[in-house]
Amino acid sequence: MIQNPAEKIGNTVIMLLLGIFCLFCAVPMIHIFSLSLSGNRAIMSGEVTLWPIDLNFEPYKNVFGDLSMIRSLLFTIWLVVIYTIVSLIATILAAYPLSRRNFKGKNILFALIIITMFFNPGIIPNYLLIKELHMLNSVWSLVLPLLINAFLLIILKTSFTQIPAELEDSAWMDGCGHLRYLMRIVLPLSLPILATLALYSAVDRWNMFQDALFYINDAHLYPIQQKLYEIVINSQVNDAIAQEGFGGSSPVPESLQAASIMFATVPILLVYPWLQRYFISGMLVGAVKG
């Protein structure tokens, strides 16, 4: 398609703005990566910007040599997989009936779901509930309270609603029940949105550490973000003690903190390219013949 000069200028401006935005997103990560490979002298003197100085691989040797970090990483991967699968199943089972045209009371239920996006009981009632359910220091305390995200549920419900009614009518004529219709027609046509929801759920669970901070005291159940939080906090405490002149362990070098951040960030970044092939549109184009 031939573009006129105005469209070319508009597209160029848009691409330029997107490039600047991407640069702003990438620069902090590049800076952290450079810190993780730089020597302490260069870091303390503020010489490190976007390129490592006094190349130093010792922080990564310490991170990969720390069994507690490896254990937290493996536990977090397992936790993210379990949470994403269970959350996706629960969201599908909730979104499907809400998308049915003949489901009575769906508007009331949908309104109640929307209300939860604006009002929540708060930290203390949530903690007391988890305690009464005997889920403290349990994996389920990191899965069940966040099982269904109302925002993602609304997205999936809207996606199910947009499936042409002709497909549904044809399925009923062929003798499909709700389960078969869901498994054979709805879910295959919703792969892009399901992949997107899975990615959002996985990223949310990977980055979450507040619930582990409240509910988990067992170091063997620390997610990677909780472990990273512990490293940074301990470093700040030790640094403050050293500045006050009291005895204490030496603060964690900034290069080691940066290496720990990279260690906790890179795995989830690798998930996106694997799911990107599902981010396509037009899955329904041609599904219904005119």
Side-chain angles (χ1 to χ4, degrees):
M1 183 177 62
I2 300 176
Q3 296 180 337
N4 58 47
E7 290 179 342
K8 290 182 179 180
I9 294 175
N11 291 336
T12 302
V13 172
I14 292 174
M15 295 300 295
L16 181 61
L17 292 176
L18 289 176
I20 294 174
F21 178 75
C22 292
L23 184 63
F24 279 130
C25 294
V27 164
M29 181 61 66
I30 296 174
H31 178 64
I32 293 295
F33 178 70
S34 299
L35 288 176
S36 68
L37 291 175
S38 298
N40 288 330
R41 182 203 61 79
I43 294 175
M44 297 301 294
S45 61
E47 299 176 20
V48 181
T49 53
L50 300 179
W51 191 260
I53 298 177
D54 299 337
L55 200 61
N56 178 25
F57 293 99
E58 195 65 28
Y60 284 99
K61 292 181 181 179
N62 292 334
V63 169
F64 284 97
D66 187 347
L67 294 181
S68 64
M69 289 289 289
I70 301 298
R71 182 176 62 241
S72 293
L73 176 65
L74 295 178
F75 172 73
T76 305
I77 293 174
W78 179 84
L79 176 64
V80 167
V81 172
I82 295 299
Y83 170 78
T84 302
I85 293 174
V86 175
S87 177
L88 204 57
I89 292 174
T91 304
I92 290 171
L93 294 179
Y96 177 75
L98 291 174
S99 67
R100 298 300 87 209
R101 292 171 292 178
N102 56 351
F103 178 49
K104 297 180 179 180
K106 67 176 183 179
N107 293 331
I108 297 176
L109 292 176
F110 193 60
L112 294 175
I113 292 172
I114 293 177
I115 289 175
T116 64
M117 299 178 63
F118 301 97
F119 303 97
N120 61 78
I123 296 175
I124 295 178
N126 280 333
Y127 177 83
L128 294 177
L129 176 61
I130 296 299
K131 182 179 179 181
E132 289 299 320
L133 293 175
H134 304 288
M135 290 198 303
L136 294 179
N137 283 321
S138 168
V139 173
W140 296 112
S141 66
L142 306 178
V143 174
L144 296 182
L146 304 172
L147 188 60
I148 296 181
N149 184 304
F151 177 70
L152 299 184
L153 173 60
I154 293 172
I155 292 176
L156 188 60
K157 179 258 184 187
T158 303
S159 176
F160 286 170
T161 303
Q162 292 175 349
I163 294 178
E166 289 84 354
L167 285 178
E168 184 177 354
D169 295 338
S170 298
W172 301 146
M173 292 177 62
D174 291 338
C176 273
H178 283 289
L179 181 59
R180 188 177 178 185
Y181 173 69
L182 175 65
M183 299 299 295
R184 295 291 184 88
I185 297 178
V186 176
L187 295 186
L189 291 174
S190 303
L191 279 181
I193 190 64
L194 292 176
T196 303
L197 265 58
L199 181 61
Y200 285 161
S201 299
V203 171
D204 285 346
R205 179 62 269 172
W206 185 277
N207 291 329
M208 183 71 69
F209 78 95
Q210 182 173 296
D211 53 351
L213 185 64
F214 296 149
Y215 307 142
I216 303 297
N217 294 321
D218 186 355
H220 290 82
L221 296 178
Y222 277 1
I224 189 65
Q225 300 297 335
Q226 173 71 2
K227 183 66 178 178
L228 180 60
Y229 172 82
E230 183 182 50
I231 291 174
V232 174
I233 291 299
N234 289 341
S235 176
Q236 293 176 351
V237 171
N238 293 334
D239 194 15
I241 291 175
Q243 291 179 3
E244 293 292 336
F246 299 103
S249 56
S250 58
V252 179
E254 191 170 351
S255 59
L256 182 57
Q257 296 182 42
S260 301
I261 293 173
M262 295 301 301
F263 181 80
T265 304
V266 170
I268 195 64
L269 291 178
L270 299 178
V271 175
Y272 176 76
W274 184 74
L275 290 175
Q276 188 181 16
R277 61 195 179 101
Y278 291 104
F279 293 174
I280 58 177
S281 59
M283 288 294 291
L284 295 179
V285 176
V288 180
K289 297 181 179 180

